[in-house]
């Protein structure tokens, strides 16, 4: 699918990274009009934008006035992406100013808008910026959370532009969703997703783990961000790149996952436990590497049961109306079929929705595809045919959105 994309660039040092984003758009066949601000042109000149987009570039409403560009560019767009979005640009957009070509374009565009803020941590955390971001999100603008890391100069913290490849992924997801008739229905919502598999250490080098890759959890986080949510991803040993615009908290053990999930769920509208926590951990963790035994006997392994995070989240909801979702990788056994066992698990966990995978044969792990049935506590069951993990993620969010007040 190719689209008419407006790439707005405001005046921050991360403007140079927007060149790579532009290339990704043009190489995928999109028709891109770059609209920099005057300040952005002090970082990257119009010759660069013009050469990379194959089009004339201007920051002013006073150029080519007969073409009425301050209105036409926005009207014709299928998607507007502003990267980087500075604190000043967010403020002007939130207040509906139209004092240059980019802000005029934002007022005339009726298509989805994605903003990727980049600024110093203090500016991002300032109540004025926070209020502007909340205003934009409430209007359905997809405002990505900045990444953490090195900022301009020697300092580091929250405020980095997410990687261009990740902004591009979000933009593609927003375009696909718009083409399918969906919008930013999670705008203004906070959601928490867990992903990956925990490790329970026996000693400094060995652990008990599982085969969860984190692909489904990352797909859920990406899909929620593309639908406008503010997303926290608690990632247990996930070796995939951080999804753009998502706050990522990395953990290793079930105890750490437990702690971070409870903290993140405290102000969340929805919580999805897509991670595979270990049910048991070694009762004692050896400080030193456990040695082979000269007499050839096996070392005893005593295990202690871990907390059931999902059950706890479902039982103690700190936000009224919070929607809690679990995943269950099931195989049928002598006591029941996959669906019978899953219904019983849904009731036992006390969650609102349970996404059930039939894993007889180990088909799901590490695969880009998935197939599931989503069972609801209200008795509903939605069959999701075999398809991408991204497609399943959207059906999960459809079900969550339908249950949010
Ligand atoms: N889960 C959890 N905490 C645990 C174990 C599982 O929160 N200690 C969550 C998983 O993230 C998943 C759901 O519970 O969303 C179901 O996981 P599963 O392993 O199927 O549940 P168990 O209670 O361990 O059931 P079983 O006895 O079938 O292993």
């Amino acid at each position: 699918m190719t689209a008419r994309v407006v790439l707005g660039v405001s005046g921050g040092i991360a403007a140079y990274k927007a060149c790579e984003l532009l290339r990704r758009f043009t190489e995928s066949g999109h028709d891109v009009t770059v609209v920099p601000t005057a300040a952005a042109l002090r970082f990257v000149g119009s010759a660069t934008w013009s050469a990379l987009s194959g089009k004339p570039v201007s920051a002013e409403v006073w150029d080519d006035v007969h073409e009425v560009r301050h209105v036409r560019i926005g009207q014709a767009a299928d998607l507007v992406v502003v990267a980087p979005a500075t604190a000043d640009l967010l403020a002007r957009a939130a207040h509906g100013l139209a004092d240059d070509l980019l802000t005029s374009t934002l007022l005339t565009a009726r298509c989805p808008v994605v903003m990727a803020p980049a600024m110093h941590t203090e500016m991002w955390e300032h109540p004025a910026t926070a209020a502007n971001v909340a205003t934009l999100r409430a209007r359905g603008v997809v405002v990505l959370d900045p990444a953490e890391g090195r900022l301009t100069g020697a300092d580091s913290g929250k405020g980095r532009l997410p990687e261009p490849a990740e902004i591009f992924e979000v933009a593609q997801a927003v375009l696909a969703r718009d083409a399918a008739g969906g919008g930013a229905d999670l705008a203004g919502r906070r959601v928490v997703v867990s992903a990956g598999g925990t490790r329970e250490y026996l000693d400094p080098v060995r652990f008990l783990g599982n085969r969860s890759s984190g692909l489904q959890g990352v797909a859920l986080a990406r899909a929620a961000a593309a639908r406008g949510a503010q997303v926290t991803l608690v990632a247990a040993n996930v070796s995939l790149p951080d999804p753009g615009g998502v706050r990522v908290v990395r953990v290793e053990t079930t105890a750490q996952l437990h702690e971070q999930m409870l903290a993140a769920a405290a102000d969340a509208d929805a919580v999805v436990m897509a991670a595979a926590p270990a049910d048991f951990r070694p009762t004692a963790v050896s400080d030193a590497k456990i040695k082979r035994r000269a007499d050839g006997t096996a070392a005893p392994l005593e295990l202690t049961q871990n907390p059931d995070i999902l059950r706890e989240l479902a039982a103690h909801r700190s936000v009224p109306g919070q929607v809690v979702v679990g995943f269950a990788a099931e195989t049928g056994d002598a006591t029941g079929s996959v669906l019978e066992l899953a219904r019983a698990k849904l009731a036992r966990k006390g969650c609102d929705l349970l996404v059930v995978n039939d894993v007889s044969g180990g088909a799901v792990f590490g695969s880009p595809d998935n197939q599931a049935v989503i069972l609801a506590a209200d008795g509903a069951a939605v069959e999701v045919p075999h398809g991408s993990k991204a497609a399943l993620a959207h059906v999960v969010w459809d079900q969550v959105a339908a249950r949010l007040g």
Side-chain angles (χ1 to χ4, degrees):
M1 185 186 59
T2 59
R4 281 161 304 187
V5 177
V6 172
L7 176 59
V9 185
S10 57
I13 182 61
Y16 80 93
K17 291 191 185 169
C19 300
E20 190 192 329
L21 182 58
L22 171 55
R23 276 221 83 111
R24 284 183 186 262
F25 281 126
T26 55
E27 281 169 12
S28 328
H30 296 309
D31 171 78
V32 190
T33 303
V34 182
V35 183
T37 61
L41 292 176
R42 298 178 79 112
F43 289 102
V44 180
S46 57
T48 302
W49 303 119
S50 195
L52 289 176
S53 67
K55 289 191 185 184
V57 162
S58 166
E60 302 298 335
V61 292
W62 305 114
D63 297 330
D64 302 313
V65 174
H66 63 286
E67 289 179 11
V68 207
R69 299 185 79 223
H70 72 291
V71 175
R72 298 277 177 265
I73 294 174
Q75 282 176 335
D78 298 315
L79 175 71
V80 180
V81 178
V82 185
T86 58
D88 179 69
L89 187 280
L90 294 172
R92 289 191 292 138
H95 292 274
L97 299 191
D99 50 358
D100 63 5
L101 192 57
L102 179 52
T103 45
S104 302
T105 299
L106 286 168
L107 281 190
T108 52
R110 292 294 175 270
C111 59
V113 176
V114 176
M115 295 202 179
M119 64 198 72
H120 269 78
T121 313
E122 293 83 349
M123 295 177 102
W124 172 250
E125 289 176 347
H126 195 283
T129 305
N132 292 329
V133 168
T135 299
L136 291 165
R137 282 183 171 148
R139 281 186 206 140
V141 174
V142 175
V143 183
L144 303 179
D145 254 24
E148 283 196 35
R150 183 85 186 263
L151 304 172
T152 330
D155 41 355
S156 67
K158 189 158 183 166
R160 257 174 84 88
L161 188 74
E163 289 308 311
E166 287 299 328
I167 301 173
F168 178 72
E169 287 295 329
V170 174
Q172 291 283 71
V174 170
L175 274 172
R177 182 155 173 79
D178 191 50
D185 58 348
L186 296 178
R189 302 289 190 177
R190 288 171 197 268
V191 307
V192 184
V193 178
S194 68
T198 60
R199 293 176 177 178
E200 307 300 330
Y201 282 92
L202 292 140
D203 68 16
V205 292
R206 301 188 184 91
F207 55 81
L208 302 175
N210 63 67
R211 292 172 60 188
S212 178
S213 63
L215 279 168
Q216 185 62 67
V218 169
L220 280 156
R222 267 209 187 102
R227 292 168 81 139
Q230 208 178 331
V231 187
T232 299
L233 175 69
V234 184
N237 309 296
V238 174
S239 57
L240 304 164
D242 285 357
V246 167
R247 184 172 83 96
V248 181
V249 181
R250 295 198 173 271
V251 298
E252 282 196 273
T253 64
T254 298
Q256 292 164 353
L257 180 66
H258 182 226
E259 185 188 337
Q260 294 299 334
M261 285 306 289
L262 292 194
D267 62 357
D269 299 296
V271 185
V272 182
M273 274 297 296
D279 282 322
F280 301 94
R281 65 179 182 276
T283 303
V285 184
S286 167
D287 289 338
K289 191 180 163 207
I290 301 166
K291 301 287 182 295
R292 278 177 76 84
R293 295 186 168 194
D295 61 7
T297 57
L301 179 58
E302 194 194 319
L303 299 173
T304 299
Q305 187 150 303
N306 275 326
D308 187 332
I309 305 169
L310 177 61
R311 194 169 173 172
E312 211 174 307
L313 287 167
H316 309 284
R317 304 184 197 211
S318 30
V319 175
Q322 185 181 69
V323 178
V324 178
V325 184
F327 268 69
E330 292 289 351
T331 60
D333 65 17
T335 64
S337 69
V338 167
L339 281 186
E340 284 163 353
L341 294 175
R343 273 268 166 227
K345 185 170 284 182
L346 174 67
R348 200 164 66 236
K349 299 279 186 180
C351 52
D352 304 293
L353 296 165
L354 190 71
V355 185
V356 186
N357 298 131
D358 184 342
V359 289
S360 320
V364 174
F365 303 104
S367 151
D369 293 338
N370 213 341
Q371 178 173 0
V373 179
I374 304 176
L375 300 181
D378 55 25
V382 178
E383 277 214 41
V384 189
H386 188 262
S388 68
K389 288 185 173 173
L392 173 57
H394 278 293
V395 184
V396 172
W397 291 122
D398 289 343
Q399 293 302 312
V400 170
R403 285 167 176 79
L404 285 169

